[in-house]
Amino acid sequence: MANEASESVELAAVAARLGIPYAEELGEGGEIDPHVVERLPRAYLRRFCVVPVGPVGGGYRVALSDPANLAIVDEVGELLGCPVEPVLASEHEVHRLINRLHDAGEDAAESAVDTLESGDYATLEEELEEIEDLLDVDDSAPIIRLINMILYQAVEAGASDVHIEPYEREVVVRYRIDGVLYARLRPPRRFHAPITSRIKVMANLNIAEKRLPQDGRIKIKVADKEVDIRVSVIPTALGERVVMRLLDKETVLYGLDEIGFDPHHRKIIDHLIHLSHGILLVTGPTGSGKSTSLYAILQEINQPDKNIITIEDPVEYQIAGVGQIHVNTKVGLTFAAGLRSILRQDPDVVMVGEIRDRETAEIASQASLTGHLVFSTLHTNDAASAITRLIDMGIEPFLVASSVEAIIAQRLVRRVCPSCAEPFEAPATSLARLGIDAAQAAAGKLRRGTGCSKCFNSGYAGRIAIYEILRVDETIRHLVMENAEASRVKQAAISAGMHTLLQDGAGKVLAGITTIEEVLRVASE
C-alpha cells in the first residue's frame, strides 16, 4: 500500500513536469467503441503498457505508464486514425483496463454461456469425457473461456471463494465477497458436467470419479496476479458441487495498524506479543480473520534475534525469516507431532495454526511454561469460552491458569463503501442495542453506503476486524482454578476493563467505518 502511494506521488510529479494529466483511476472504459478495441490487440497494449481510456473531442484519451515512451501514444493515434491525448497512469491501472476491455467485461461470463448454448453441446461433452482431448482444446474453446471469465471476475471482485452449485434447472455460480455470497451467473443445467470436468482437469482430479469427494489445487495467473486455488468437489443428490478457495499470492500481509486494533487494544497487544513466555490465543468462527491477525503479530515481532517457527494447515502466506511447517496427516505430521519437533529446534516463538485436541493443547501449555511464547487459535464464540473449551479438552485448570496470558476474540465486519457513503441518522432503538446513547451518536460520524457498481450495490467494500481482549489476571486465574463458568470469567474481565466485541464494534460505527447492522450481524450476544 505504501509503495502504491509513493508511485502515485512520483507519477503525478512527472506528469506535472511533462504538462500532461495524471489519472489515479482510469474508470471502466464503458464509453469506448468496441471497434476501437478490435483495432488494438491485447498483446500490443500489454507490451507497451498503453490503453485507450475514453473519447475526448474528435479522438481518444490514451493512458500510458512509462513517461519515457510518449511516442507510443502517437502510434496508437495512427492505428485508430484519430487524434489522441496522453494521460499518465500506474502500470496496475493500465493493465486492469486492458483486461477489462478485452473479453473481461461485466457480461463476459454471460457471453461465454451464450457461446456454449449456440455450439454443438454433444460434441463438447464427448471432448470433456477424455482428459487427453480436453488438454488439446484451444484456449478459445467456449468452456475454457467460461471458466477463465468466472475466475477473472472473481479475482477482480476480490472474492475469497467461488461456489458452483447444481440445481434441477440451472447451475448457480456464486462469489463470496467480504464474507457474503452473491449469485453472479446462472448457466443452464446441461452445462454442469462440462464445467465440473474442466475444473477437475485443471486441478488434476479424476473426472470419471463422481461418487466420492475430491480435493485438488490449481495454480494460475489471472489478471496479472498469481492465484493459488484450492478446489473441493463433493457429490450431492443433484450432481457434483464445486467450491474454489482463491488465495492471491501477491496479497500484501497486513500490519497491526491496518487490521482494526484501536489505540486501547494496540497498547495491550504491544505488551502481550513481547512477553518472554505464555500462550496467546486468538478465537472466533471460521473466516473471522484469525490467521491474518497471527501473521500480523508474527511480522511485528520478526527480528533477527528471534527464532520463530510455525506449524500450519495450510501455510497460506510465506513470511521471510520465519520457519513454516505444513501439516501432513498422511505421513503422521500432525499439529502435536510437529509441535514436539519444533520444541527441539530451540524456538523463541511458536505459532500453532489451531489447537484441535488435548495432546496439542498439553504440549503448547508445557512449552509456554518452559520459556516459549506460543500463539494459536481456537474456535469459540468469545474470549471467555476459550478457557472452558481448553478445560473441556481435558487440560487441568491449574495448567490453563498458569500458561494462558490472554485471549483475543475477533470477528470481521464489512466497511462502508467509500464511493457511495453518506451520513446517516440511526434510530434510537438500533443505537441502544450497541449501547450507544444519543449524545455519542450526535458527536460521531455514522455513515452507510447507498450501493454502487464498485460494491455490487451492497453499500460495503472491504472488511475490518472488531476485537475483545481478555487478559488473564489474578482474579481470572482464581476463577479458572475454581472451574468457573465462562459467564463469570467474562464478567470479571469486563470489570477489569475489557472492551467487548459489541463495544469495539460500536466504536467503529461511531467512527463511520461500519454500520450497526453489520456489527449486530456478526457479534450479537
Side-chain angles (χ1 to χ4, degrees):
M1 295 178 74
N3 289 340
E4 288 180 12
S6 61
E7 182 189 10
S8 176
V9 172
E10 288 175 13
L11 284 173
V14 171
R17 285 200 300 271
L18 294 174
I20 62 174
Y22 166 70
E24 192 166 344
E25 293 185 0
L26 294 180
E28 304 301 320
E31 301 175 357
I32 298 176
D33 190 329
H35 296 296
V36 168
V37 178
E38 288 175 9
R39 293 183 192 177
L40 301 169
R42 182 204 290 261
Y44 173 83
L45 296 178
R46 288 173 64 87
R47 179 183 174 188
F48 296 106
C49 205
V50 61
V51 66
V53 177
V56 55
Y60 268 86
R61 182 176 287 112
V62 175
L64 75 160
S65 64
D66 183 2
N69 194 21
L70 277 171
I72 194 65
V73 175
D74 295 327
E75 190 175 306
V76 171
E78 291 176 13
L79 289 171
L80 296 181
C82 65
V84 292
E85 291 183 7
V87 57
L88 207 58
S90 69
E91 184 177 341
H92 171 77
E93 272 297 295
V94 172
H95 280 297
R96 184 190 64 78
L97 187 53
I98 292 170
N99 288 324
R100 183 79 176 172
L101 294 177
H102 280 274
D103 300 328
E106 287 281 345
D107 59 347
E110 287 83 348
S111 66
V113 173
D114 293 339
T115 305
L116 277 173
E117 291 198 77
S118 62
D120 185 348
Y121 173 68
T123 305
L124 176 67
E125 192 168 29
E126 286 173 12
E127 287 178 348
L128 285 161
E129 289 302 318
E130 299 183 24
I131 296 176
E132 295 81 5
D133 288 349
L134 181 62
L135 291 175
D136 293 333
V137 175
D138 185 77
D139 281 350
S140 61
I143 192 67
I144 296 176
R145 174 177 156 80
L146 172 60
I147 301 302
N148 289 348
M149 288 305 100
I150 287 173
L151 293 175
Y152 172 84
Q153 289 183 350
V155 172
E156 281 294 284
S160 61
D161 303 84
V162 177
H163 293 237
I164 298 175
E165 304 158 353
Y167 294 98
E168 287 186 2
R169 297 181 180 276
E170 63 185 2
V171 179
V172 178
V173 179
R174 299 196 290 173
Y175 300 161
R176 186 176 295 280
I177 302 169
D178 293 336
V180 178
L181 281 169
Y182 297 90
R184 300 295 294 158
L185 193 66
R186 296 177 183 272
R189 163 74 192 196
R190 64 181 181 276
F191 299 132
H192 174 251
I195 288 171
T196 54
S197 294
R198 170 60 186 164
I199 293 170
K200 282 182 174 182
V201 168
M202 293 173 73
N204 293 316
L205 301 178
N206 183 358
I207 66 170
E209 179 56 76
K210 300 182 180 180
R211 301 162 301 171
L212 296 173
Q214 296 187 69
D215 295 307
R217 297 179 84 95
I218 303 172
K219 289 186 178 180
I220 56 172
K221 194 169 185 179
V222 180
D224 296 311
K225 296 179 180 178
E226 287 189 13
V227 181
D228 192 4
I229 302 173
R230 279 183 280 163
V231 180
S232 171
V233 183
I234 61 168
T236 68
L238 293 172
E240 290 179 297
R241 181 174 180 147
V242 180
V243 175
M244 294 182 282
R245 166 64 59 87
L246 277 58
L247 295 172
D248 186 349
K249 298 179 90 173
E250 296 178 14
T251 298
V252 178
L253 290 173
Y254 294 104
L256 285 176
D257 292 323
E258 300 168 285
I259 58 178
F261 287 120
D262 61 22
H264 169 76
H265 284 150
R266 181 59 201 271
K267 187 176 179 181
I268 298 172
I269 287 292
D270 282 340
H271 168 71
L272 292 171
I273 64 178
H274 290 99
L275 293 173
S276 60
H277 63 275
I279 296 178
L280 177 61
L281 291 173
V282 182
T283 76
T286 302
S288 60
K290 300 186 296 295
S291 295
T292 301
S293 293
L294 285 178
Y295 279 128
I297 288 170
L298 290 181
Q299 285 191 106
E300 186 75 14
I301 62 174
N302 186 14
Q303 300 293 335
D305 63 342
K306 278 191 168 63
N307 181 20
I308 304 174
I309 306 179
T310 76
I311 180 160
E312 308 168 56
D313 184 18
V315 175
E316 293 187 7
Y317 300 103
Q318 297 285 346
I319 304 177
V322 175
Q324 295 173 270
I325 302 170
H326 185 99
V327 164
N328 189 346
T329 53
K330 291 179 182 177
V331 296
L333 181 53
T334 61
F335 278 119
L339 184 52
R340 277 200 188 91
S341 298
I342 286 172
L343 295 178
R344 301 188 196 109
Q345 291 277 316
D346 184 33
D348 298 296
V349 179
V350 177
M351 194 265 271
V352 183
E354 183 184 345
I355 292 179
R356 294 177 179 171
D357 52 45
R358 174 179 177 175
E359 187 180 11
T360 308
E362 282 185 340
I363 300 168
S365 298
Q366 295 292 350
S368 73
L369 295 176
T370 54
H372 302 90
L373 184 58
V374 180
F375 300 119
S376 191
T377 69
L378 268 180
H379 288 280
T380 61
N381 288 328
D382 60 9
S385 299
I387 290 172
T388 53
R389 174 74 188 278
L390 289 173
I391 294 172
D392 288 343
M393 280 184 178
I395 309 302
E396 294 294 338
F398 76 87
L399 199 55
V400 176
S402 55
S403 62
V404 177
E405 291 292 333
I407 303 157
I408 304 171
Q410 69 177 74
R411 300 286 190 279
L412 291 178
V413 294
R414 291 180 291 172
R415 292 175 180 265
V416 174
C417 174
S419 300
C420 59
E422 65 175 16
F424 173 61
E425 289 187 15
T429 51
S430 297
L431 293 170
R433 294 182 68 184
L434 284 186
I436 301 173
D437 58 37
Q440 288 176 307
K445 301 175 182 177
L446 274 70
R447 300 190 306 163
R448 68 175 176 186
T450 57
C452 64
S453 60
K454 291 188 177 181
C455 63
F456 293 93
N457 293 312
S458 66
Y460 299 99
R463 289 188 288 179
I464 192 170
I466 57 174
Y467 298 92
E468 65 181 27
I469 302 178
L470 187 156
R471 299 183 68 175
V472 181
D473 57 17
E474 286 305 313
T475 303
I476 290 175
R477 282 196 172 90
H478 286 303
L479 289 173
V480 174
M481 297 283 282
E482 295 170 10
N483 207 356
E485 299 171 350
S487 57
R488 287 181 61 196
V489 173
K490 182 172 185 176
Q491 195 53 53
I494 292 172
S495 300
M498 181 182 81
H499 293 180
T500 66
L501 286 168
L502 284 180
Q503 287 172 326
D504 192 34
K508 290 179 171 65
V509 168
L510 290 171
I513 297 170
T514 188
T515 63
I516 295 172
E517 294 77 17
E518 188 64 9
V519 173
L520 292 174
R521 179 179 72 85
V522 302
S524 57
E525 296 179 343

